[in-house]
Amino acid sequence: MKLCQNLKYGVCDSAGATFKTAKAIQDLGLNLITRLPDGNKSSKQAFQKAKDGVLEWQVFDLSCDEAEDDPVTVNVAKVGTHTFKNRQNKGEPGITGQLLLVDAEPMRQLKTQTVNHNADKELKRITAELNSIATACLPDAKKLVDKVLKGLKYCTVSQVEYHEELHYNKKGRPKKGAQPDCSEFHVTAVVERNDKAIAEAIDQELRYVLWCSDADADPWTIYSNYHQQYDVEGCWKSLKDPMGFIGSFNVKKTKHMAALSVLMVLALLIQRLTLIKFRQFLKQNSLAIPRLSSNRPTTTPSWTTVQRAFNLAGISYDLVGQSVSAPRNPFSSLALSFLEQSSKWLRGMY
């Protein structure tokens, strides 16, 4: 807290949407911004308001680079308040915060691919489950079909038919004139994708609800602070990448787990601060670096883009002689300049 005197908000995902988290953040003198689970009652009410078309949307322009080809915008709307209650001590007052519904339309293509992939998986799974039904009596077959139908999300099942197949219970060739003494009931049905349900699922994936304990915070402040969590997730993804520098190891004692958690949080914090400083460095020096996905430059690179730039720089360290060497290329000069400035910044912090 001493290093972050201007810190005002603590941001976390839906795992932190609890009274305990909100109270802990409040005790630190901060405000909490978190995402409410989609299954929360307040979230469902917000989604229903969006379907009914009764919300007043605000449009936020997220284009921060002049090199961006297409504008990126999201829609947000205020949807009331939600109170976190203390389930353990019901006499303690709850913590109330304002709700913000976000419609991230720029993510439609990605969410469409995800939902269609899940729909194809469900189609194969439901078809396989129906084809595998083989019971000794018709009521059991119907129960299994009903169980399968309850799990439908993206598909529909129609023309369900039950077929009784007779066979011999004993092994070997049956005697002449012997009658089948056993029967099994199998199921045939038509399983299809439900286009309407898939379209609704895509719209649902694009929307989420944010909760903020600061009653005076405007929608842009809430959304922009939560949106920065994308950088943290990118840093965490690279930190736990098995192809990185960190090897896997096992810990058994609780205190060792706690120590590892603290180390990971500190590493994540350093990554995040480094990313912020690198972006500031680019802006102050009117510089930009190419993205991983294209040659279009950016002044707000992700952590993986920064890693790529430093890898291309080819910088080597001589720990014995305490010297740094690098080949002549644009990335090496950029990296060396940043390292020089960041070392001054680190010495100023400690």
Side-chain angles (χ1 to χ4, degrees), residues 52-278:
D52 297 338
V54 297
L55 298 178
E56 295 183 3
W57 295 97
Q58 298 182 48
V59 181
F60 290 160
D61 184 6
L62 304 181
S63 302
C64 54
D65 290 343
E66 296 179 357
E68 282 282 358
D69 292 340
D70 302 320
V72 179
T73 60
V74 297
N75 301 319
V76 299
K78 292 184 177 181
V79 287
T81 61
H82 175 79
T83 301
F84 288 122
K85 299 180 181 179
N86 189 353
R87 304 296 181 185
Q88 296 179 351
N89 183 10
K90 296 183 179 180
E92 186 174 357
I95 301 177
T96 302
Q98 59 172 312
L99 295 178
L100 191 71
L101 178 63
V102 180
D103 188 348
E105 184 62 30
M107 298 292 291
R108 180 170 291 276
Q109 183 177 359
L110 178 62
K111 296 300 183 181
T112 299
Q113 294 176 353
T114 301
V115 172
N116 280 320
H117 175 70
N118 293 335
D120 292 337
K121 288 178 60 178
E122 181 178 274
L123 181 68
K124 294 180 180 179
R125 178 177 61 81
I126 296 299
T127 301
E129 289 181 359
L130 291 175
N131 291 337
S132 65
I133 293 178
T135 61
C137 62
L138 182 60
D140 287 346
K142 291 183 177 181
K143 287 181 180 180
L144 292 175
V145 171
D146 292 340
K147 183 178 180 181
V148 171
L149 296 181
K150 287 182 180 179
L152 292 179
K153 188 175 181 180
Y154 307 108
C155 300
T156 59
V157 177
S158 60
Q159 303 180 26
V160 180
E161 297 181 356
Y162 301 89
H163 305 279
E164 183 181 14
E165 296 183 4
L166 302 176
H167 59 87
Y168 298 94
N169 192 26
K170 294 182 180 181
K171 295 182 179 180
R173 182 177 180 180
K175 296 181 180 180
K176 185 176 181 180
Q179 298 295 323
D181 55 357
C182 188
S183 65
E184 280 185 347
F185 286 88
H186 297 265
V187 178
T188 59
V190 177
V191 184
E192 298 176 313
R193 288 162 53 101
N194 188 341
D195 294 335
K196 181 179 179 181
I198 291 174
E200 291 179 352
I202 294 172
D203 291 337
Q204 178 67 39
E205 287 290 325
L206 295 174
R207 294 170 179 164
Y208 57 91
V209 178
L210 298 180
W211 182 90
C212 179
S213 60
D214 185 3
D216 299 326
D218 59 275
W220 170 251
T221 299
I222 298 174
Y223 175 77
S224 59
N225 277 280
Y226 182 79
H227 184 66
Q228 293 180 37
Q229 190 175 226
Y230 172 80
D231 290 333
V232 179
E233 292 175 347
C235 291
W236 173 247
K237 182 178 179 180
S238 65
L239 187 63
K240 65 179 183 179
D241 187 356
M243 298 301 293
F245 295 106
I246 302 175
S248 60
F249 55 91
N250 297 323
V251 291
K252 295 182 179 180
K253 295 184 178 180
T254 303
K255 61 180 182 180
H256 292 164
M257 296 178 186
L260 178 60
S261 299
V262 171
L263 289 175
M264 295 298 283
V265 170
L266 288 175
L268 189 60
L269 177 61
I270 293 173
Q271 276 186 298
R272 172 67 173 146
L273 292 175
T274 302
L275 183 61
I276 292 174
K277 285 295 180 181
F278 188 76

Side-chain angles (χ1 to χ4, degrees), residues 295-306:
N295 291 325
R296 290 182 297 146
T298 176
T299 58
T300 57
S302 64
W303 179 259
T304 53
T305 304
V306 173

